[in-house]
Each structure stands twice: as structure tokens, then as C-alpha cells.
């Protein structure tokens, strides 16, 4: 196809070139004719020849001028048609660039615009996803995070800010968040922004809510151009409570240790100074020293046991334990103390299929502690019984210790298993360290994934119980 389209163009160009050369040849013949006429014989001959040459020149110009226009038109039409087949001659313009009518250029330009639009959509979507992820991350933080400007207006607030400061605090463009905080916070925000980031503020205060929640507020500059500050509000109630409990633990531990040590020192000094001459009295004092020493050793051992369990250092050795047999042996061990107090102690009910995976020495320690407390706080002539049952639905072994003793007030039940806690008015009835029940709870719950609890009524008695899963591996896997 290409040779056929290129050949006519060559013919047209050659024809146009020959035709345009003929008028110039005719014009050039005038001086030639004039010279020829000069040498011709006769007077009229030169003028006739010159006139004929001039006439020939004008005729040639008149004849060949349309051919040149047509050739130019054909050449223009051919060029236009070859460059843009889809456009008509009337719509073509010599000043218009050829690329605008090229379909390949139009298609390429369209694909380029479409690609840019797709890239912009992808970029906008990526920005939206990143913004959503950052908002979700900030909402998952437990601390209240508020972004404010130098006027105290909120730009952003996370979910915790709404919980801690009120839902109105999350409204952008308002001062609800900064107004819900103590007045010193706004002054700290202005100081941090005006400093250009050279200052950071830490404020320990309390919120102006009904609970007077203790908080620590951190104020930092965000960027150096927008003049924004971040206000982070951290609830430190749990930390304060933990510090209080640690201080209380140290105080109570010191008191519990000081009491037997004081007795030991007093009786030891009496014996060392020789002030006790009666042999029976010396034996009595020696018995008291031995008793206080045992009490002191038990206190230290329980404190160490609790510490090891809470720190995760203690490990249980699991085996199949027959709780009916174990409970029976514990009752036998405590029978002497019960007889001394004329208390009826018995194994009231026992399920022979009460087997569970547990640490036998630790379970024995729990049952003995519960029996010892029941005997200790039951008046002489009372009753204490032990029951061993199985809960096939929950797949647990349940051991209960019942008594008809003093009973526990309702307000004391939530704190009964805490460290060093002893019920008021019970301290004068029987001595104790206040660590036995706490140790039982750690053994049952932390080391055996079980449950422990109490049901009691003042003047009627109490029932302490604990439940141990039959299969430790299945319970821990769940």
C-alpha cells in the first residue's frame, strides 16, 4: 500500500515543477526574441518578433496559472487526506497542528488522563486508610489524648477522652475538653506553645468529677508551625491504690513480725536473767517461746509462699488426687485440736469418685488452713464438718468446710481474702496472721485455675468452699 500512495505524490510534484518552469521560459524568450529581431532583415521584423514573444508569454501565464492552483490544491488536499483521513477539507486549517487530529495521540492522551485519575484515587484511598488506622490506634489507648490549639479549642480527642472528660470533650472546635480539666492545664498549654517546644509540662492533679480521679497530665508541643499541643491525661488511680496496698502490707507485716519477736525477747530475757526460779514457770515460758517461734516461722513461710506464687516462681506438681481420701486425712490431723475444744469434727459427705489433677501437698495445705480457721472461730462445743462433692457439669471437685461459729459480716466478705485482713472483733477471739486465706486463694486460683469463696451469716456460721478442675490441661488450654 505504501508504494501506491507515494507514487502519485511524486508525479504531482514533477508535473507541477514542469508547469511552473514554462512561464519563466516564456518570459526569458523576450530578450532572445529582441536580439533575434535586431539582426533580422526589415524594420518591422524585430518588433513583430518581440510582440509575438510577449503574447506567447502572457498566453503561457494565463494557461498555466490555473494548473498551478489546482496542483497546489491537489497537493494540499493530498497532504491533508494523508495526514487526517477522517477530517474533511473544509474543516482543515493550515494553522492547526497535525497532532491534534491524530487518533493515536488522542488515545494516548486519554489513557494518560485515566492513569492519573486512577493514581489520584489510589492515593486518596491510601490517605483515608492511614487516617482511619491512626484514629483507631489512638482510640485503643487507655489514656485520654486531646489535641488543642493556643486558644484551647479541641482539634482532636480520642475515645478515652470522651469517657474520662465527657462526650462533649470530643467535639472539635470547642473548649469543652480544656474546660473539663483544671485551670492550670490551659496555662501549661499556652506556655508550651509559646516556648516553641523547649518546655514540657507534667501536672499531678485530680479531675473535677464526683470521684476526684487522680491523674497525671502531660503537655507537649506538636510540630513547630501549627502551634498545637497534645494533652495526655493518665488515670493513676490503680497505681495509687497499688502503692497504698504496698505501704499497708509493709506496715502490717512489720506489726505481725514485731509481736512475736517482742514476746520472744521478753521471755528470753526473764530466763537469761535468772528471775524465774520455779521449774514449772520456766517450762511454761519455754513453751511460750516455742509457740511464738512457730508462729513467727509460719508467718515468714506464708509471706514467702505468697510472694513466690504471685511472682510466678512457684510451680505446682500435678497428679491424680483423691480428694475424699485427702479430706479424711486432714480431718484426722485436726481431730486433736477439735477434741480439746470439744468441737465435733467429721467428714459429713464424701464422693468416692472425687479425683482431680492437682498438687497434693498444696491442696492439703488449703484444707488444713480452712479447718484450722473453722475450729479457731467456732465456740467450744460447736460443730465443724467437711464435704467433698463432684460437679459433673462443670467438671470440678468441690470441697466445703462448714461451721456454726461467729459468722462474718457482709461488709467484710469482699476483703476477707486480702493480705493481713482480719475481721473486727475476731482478733480478740483468736490469734492469726491474716495471711492464711490469701494463701489459699493464691493456691486455688493462681496455681490450679480454680475458684474459692465463702457464704456466711453473722451468728449462724460460715461455709468456705473451693473448686478444682478435674483436668488441669483442658482448663489451661481453654
Amino acid at each position: 500500500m505504501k508504494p501506491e500512495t507515494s507514487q502519485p505524490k511524486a508525479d504531482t510534484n514533477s508535473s507541477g515543477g514542469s508547469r511552473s518552469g514554462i512561464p519563466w521560459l516564456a518570459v526569458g524568450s523576450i530578450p532572445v526574441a529582441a536580439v533575434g529581431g535586431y539582426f533580422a532583415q526589415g524594420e518591422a521584423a524585430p518588433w513583430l518578433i518581440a510582440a509575438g514573444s510577449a503574447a506567447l508569454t502572457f498566453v503561457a501565464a494565463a494557461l498555466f496559472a490555473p494548473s498551478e492552483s489546482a496542483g497546489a490544491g491537489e497537493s494540499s488536499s493530498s497532504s491533508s487526506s494523508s495526514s487526517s483521513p477522517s477530517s474533511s477539507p473544509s474543516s482543515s486549517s493550515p494553522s492547526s497542528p497535525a497532532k491534534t487530529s491524530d487518533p493515536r495521540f488522542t488515545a494516548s492522551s486519554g489513557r494518560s488522563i485515566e492513569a492519573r485519575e486512577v493514581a489520584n484515587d489510589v492515593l486518596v484511598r491510601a490517605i483515608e486508610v492511614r487516617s482511619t488506622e491512626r484514629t483507631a490506634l489512638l482510640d485503643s489507648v487507655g489514656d485520654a489524648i486531646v489535641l488543642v490549639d493556643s486558644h484551647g479549642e479541641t482539634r482532636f480527642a480520642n475515645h478515652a477522652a470522651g469517657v474520662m472528660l465527657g462526650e462533649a470533650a470530643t467535639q472539635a472546635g470547642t473548649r469543652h475538653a480544656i474546660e473539663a480539666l483544671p485551670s492550670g492545664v490551659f496555662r501549661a498549654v499556652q506556655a508550651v506553645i509559646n516556648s516553641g517546644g523547649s518546655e514540657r509540662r507534667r501536672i499531678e492533679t485530680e479531675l473535677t468529677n464526683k470521684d476526684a480521679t487522680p491523674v497525671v497530665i502531660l503537655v507537649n508541643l506538636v510540630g513547630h508551625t501549627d502551634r498545637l499541643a497534645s494533652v495526655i491525661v493518665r488515670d493513676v488511680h490503680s497505681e495509687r491504690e497499688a502503692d497504698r496496698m504496698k505501704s499497708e502490707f509493709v506496715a502490717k507485716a512489720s506489726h505481725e513480725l514485731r509481736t512475736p519477736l517482742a514476746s520472744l525477747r521478753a521471755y528470753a530475757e526473764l530466763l537469761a536473767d535468772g528471775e524465774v526460779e520455779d521449774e514449772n514457770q520456766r517450762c511454761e515460758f519455754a513453751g511460750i517461746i516455742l509457740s511464738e517461734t512457730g508462729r513467727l516461722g509460719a508467718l515468714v513461710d506464708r509471706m514467702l509462699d505468697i510472694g513466690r506464687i504471685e511472682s510466678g516462681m512457684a510451680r505446682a506438681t500435678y497428679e491424680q488426687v483423691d480428694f475424699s481420701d485427702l479430706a479424711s486425712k486432714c480431718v484426722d490431723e485436726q481431730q486433736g485440736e477439735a477434741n480439746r475444744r470439744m468441737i465435733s469434727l467429721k467428714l459429713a459427705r464424701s464422693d468416692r469418685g472425687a479425683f482431680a489433677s492437682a498438687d497434693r501437698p498444696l491442696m492439703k495445705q488449703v484444707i488444713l488452713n480452712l479447718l484450722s480457721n473453722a475450729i479457731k472461730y467456732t465456740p467450744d462445743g460447736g460443730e465443724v464438718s467437711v464435704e467433698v462433692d463432684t460437679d459433673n457439669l462443670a467438671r470440678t471437685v468441690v470441697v466445703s468446710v462448714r461451721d456454726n461459729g461467729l459468722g462474718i459480716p457482709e461488709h467484710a466478705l469482699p476483703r476477707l481474702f486480702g493480705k493481713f485482713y482480719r475481721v473486727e472483733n475476731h482478733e480478740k477471739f483468736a490469734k492469726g496472721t491474716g495471711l492464711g486465706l490469701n494463701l489459699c486463694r493464691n493456691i486455688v486460683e493462681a496455681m490450679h485455675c480454680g475458684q474459692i469463696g465463702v457464704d456466711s451469716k453473722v451468728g449462724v456460721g460460715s461455709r468456705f468452699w473451693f473448686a478444682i478442675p478435674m483436668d488441669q490441661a483442658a482448663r489451661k488450654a481453654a
Side-chain angles (χ1 to χ4, degrees):
M1 294 298 290
K2 288 184 178 180
E4 294 179 3
T5 57
S6 60
Q7 185 64 33
K9 290 182 181 180
D11 295 340
T12 303
N13 293 338
S14 63
S15 175
S18 62
R19 290 181 181 181
S20 61
I22 291 176
W24 291 104
L25 182 61
V27 173
S29 67
I30 294 177
V32 175
V35 173
Y38 179 79
F39 292 102
Q41 296 181 354
E43 297 179 354
W47 298 103
L48 290 173
I49 294 173
S53 299
L56 181 61
T57 301
F58 284 106
V59 171
L63 289 174
F64 288 101
S67 298
E68 290 176 358
S69 301
E74 291 175 1
S75 176
S76 174
S77 176
S78 175
S79 175
S80 175
S81 62
S82 64
S83 63
S84 180
S86 62
S87 61
S88 61
S90 61
S91 63
S92 63
S93 174
S95 61
S96 301
K99 290 183 179 180
T100 58
S101 59
D102 191 343
R104 292 172 297 176
F105 176 79
T106 304
S108 176
S109 177
R111 287 193 296 270
S112 178
I113 294 174
E114 183 179 358
R116 286 197 300 268
E117 291 178 352
V118 171
N120 289 335
D121 291 342
V122 172
L123 180 60
V124 170
R125 178 58 180 165
I127 293 174
E128 291 177 351
V129 171
R130 180 63 60 85
S131 177
T132 302
E133 290 175 348
R134 290 180 176 177
T135 301
L137 177 63
L138 292 174
D139 284 338
S140 66
V141 177
D143 298 337
I145 302 176
V146 184
L147 189 65
V148 297
D149 57 19
S150 58
H151 302 290
E153 293 185 357
T154 301
R155 296 290 186 89
F156 170 82
N158 66 344
H159 177 71
V163 175
M164 195 176 299
L165 306 177
E167 288 299 326
T170 61
Q171 297 177 4
T174 67
R175 289 174 51 88
H176 295 315
I178 205 70
E179 290 174 353
L181 297 170
S183 58
V185 177
F186 181 51
R187 292 194 295 270
V189 168
Q190 291 180 319
V192 168
I193 292 178
N194 293 333
S195 70
S198 61
E199 290 188 16
R200 293 182 179 182
R201 296 295 179 93
R202 184 180 188 275
I203 304 172
E204 293 188 13
T205 182
E206 295 179 352
L207 296 180
T208 57
N209 53 14
K210 61 180 182 179
D211 298 327
T213 305
V215 294
V216 172
I217 302 176
L218 305 175
V219 182
N220 298 315
L221 184 69
V222 178
H224 296 278
T225 57
D226 294 336
R227 295 175 62 82
L228 300 177
S230 65
V231 180
I232 303 175
V233 184
R234 180 170 300 162
D235 185 352
V236 294
H237 175 75
S238 299
E239 288 83 350
R240 296 277 179 88
E241 183 66 17
D243 291 340
R244 185 194 64 80
M245 292 180 64
K246 288 179 181 178
S247 300
E248 184 178 354
F249 173 80
V250 172
K252 288 186 175 181
S254 301
H255 174 74
E256 293 296 332
L257 290 171
R258 187 181 297 112
T259 301
L261 285 174
S263 298
L264 288 173
R265 181 171 183 173
Y267 288 108
E269 287 179 350
L270 290 175
L271 293 175
D273 294 340
E275 297 182 4
V276 181
E277 297 180 357
D278 187 6
E279 185 65 25
N280 294 331
Q281 195 172 16
R282 280 199 297 268
C283 292
E284 181 184 354
F285 286 176
I288 294 174
I289 292 174
L290 184 61
S291 175
E292 292 298 324
T293 302
R295 179 185 173 189
L296 184 61
L299 176 61
V300 173
D301 289 342
R302 287 182 177 180
M303 291 175 62
L304 293 176
D305 291 340
I306 292 172
R308 282 194 294 266
I309 295 173
E310 291 181 341
S311 64
M313 295 177 61
R315 294 289 184 269
T317 302
Y318 298 108
E319 59 179 303
Q320 280 298 109
V321 177
D322 183 353
F323 276 85
S324 296
D325 179 69
L326 182 62
S328 177
K329 291 181 177 179
C330 290
V331 168
D332 292 341
E333 288 188 20
Q334 293 290 322
Q335 197 67 55
E337 179 65 18
N339 293 337
R340 189 182 68 82
R341 298 274 310 279
M342 295 180 294
I343 293 176
S344 172
L345 175 61
K346 61 182 178 180
L347 183 62
R349 185 171 63 249
S350 176
D351 190 337
R352 293 300 176 185
F355 288 87
S357 178
D359 188 303
R360 184 181 180 87
L362 292 178
M363 290 293 99
K364 181 178 181 181
Q365 187 174 4
V366 171
I367 297 175
L368 288 177
N369 278 343
L370 296 182
L371 283 174
S372 176
N373 281 348
I375 295 172
K376 189 185 301 182
Y377 294 103
T378 298
D380 295 348
E383 296 181 358
V384 176
S385 62
V386 180
E387 301 173 357
V388 180
D389 300 304
T390 56
D391 187 343
N392 293 322
L393 183 62
R395 297 293 297 166
T396 59
V397 173
V398 182
V399 179
S400 304
V401 177
R402 297 179 181 271
D403 65 65
N404 60 350
L406 302 177
I408 302 167
E410 187 175 356
H411 71 273
L413 293 177
R415 301 178 58 190
L416 193 61
F417 291 91
K419 295 185 182 74
F420 295 109
Y421 181 76
R422 301 191 66 193
V423 180
E424 300 86 346
N425 300 325
H426 285 197
E427 296 181 0
K428 61 183 180 181
F429 192 85
K431 294 181 179 181
T433 62
L435 291 175
L437 292 179
N438 184 264
L439 179 60
C440 291
R441 184 180 69 176
N442 278 281
I443 292 174
V444 171
E445 295 182 354
M447 301 190 69
H448 289 82
C449 301
Q451 291 180 307
I452 190 169
V454 59
D455 305 314
S456 184
K457 187 175 182 181
V458 176
V460 177
S462 305
R463 170 183 174 259
F464 285 85
W465 59 270
F466 67 91
I468 299 297
M470 294 182 180
D471 188 356
Q472 287 292 325
R475 177 62 61 92
K476 289 187 176 183

